[in-house]
Amino acid sequence: MRKPLLALAAAAVTLSGCAAINTWSNLQSPQVEVAGIKLASIGLTSGTFDVTLRVNNPNSIDLNGTHLVATIDAKDQRFADIDLTQAFTLPKGMAVPVVVPVTIQWSGASGAVRQLIGAGAVPYKIGGRVTVDTPIGARGLDFSTSGTVSVVR
């Protein structure tokens, strides 16, 4: 009687391990939106904006992010390149704000970027990749979306 119980326990452990590997290997990409753009400081040669991203984790497990890279186009012109290497946690089934400071040099900025300062809201497109740690190694998850974002001075 003892051998069948051991076999049943071993099968249960094996199946739960397979389920965990399946969960990690079939991750859904997070949804990333630009929730707000706020002018933090302005100078003669550059301006700094606080870009708030809303990152939603649609998965049934928490994700530990290690890297987020993205490009944001506002009014169909490049506004910012984001390269966040600070670790962040994405709780399962939740959206969290991630604030990223972005410095724009006026000499290289397009007219659309300079117009953001006076704009109330602008259309945007964002695309990039979130890299997360998993038990089976680092995994890159691509995202892209568009919408309208408010710009606050």
Side-chain angles (χ1 to χ4, degrees):
M1 189 74 158
R2 194 166 176 95
K3 286 185 182 182
L5 285 177
L6 287 174
L8 184 60
V13 168
T14 300
L15 288 176
S16 68
C18 290
I21 289 172
N22 190 40
T23 299
W24 287 107
S25 62
N26 292 311
L27 290 176
Q28 295 179 48
S29 292
Q31 290 106 21
V32 180
E33 300 174 345
V34 181
I37 299 174
K38 180 180 178 185
L39 179 62
S41 66
I42 190 166
L44 292 175
T45 60
S46 66
T48 301
F49 295 84
D50 287 334
V51 177
T52 302
L53 304 177
R54 184 180 308 115
V55 184
N56 181 43
N57 175 6
N59 296 287
S60 61
I61 52 176
D62 292 346
L63 298 177
N64 295 313
T66 59
H67 198 189
L68 185 148
V69 293
T71 57
I72 301 173
D73 294 340
K75 293 187 173 183
D76 293 323
Q77 296 194 26
R78 182 61 36 94
F79 168 66
D81 293 309
I82 293 175
D83 190 358
L84 180 66
T85 57
Q86 173 183 327
F88 52 95
T89 300
L90 302 174
K92 62 183 174 185
M94 291 182 62
V96 296
V98 176
V99 179
V100 183
V102 175
T103 300
I104 306 293
Q105 300 298 320
W106 300 134
S107 63
S110 69
V113 171
R114 288 189 293 269
Q115 291 174 29
L116 286 177
I117 295 171
V122 295
Y124 76 87
K125 293 179 185 174
I126 185 171
R129 174 175 276 214
V130 173
T131 303
V132 297
D133 274 339
T134 76
I136 56 175
R139 179 96 189 274
L141 303 168
D142 295 330
F143 63 87
S144 67
T145 193
S146 61
T148 302
V149 62
S150 62
V151 180
V152 181
R153 282 200 258 182

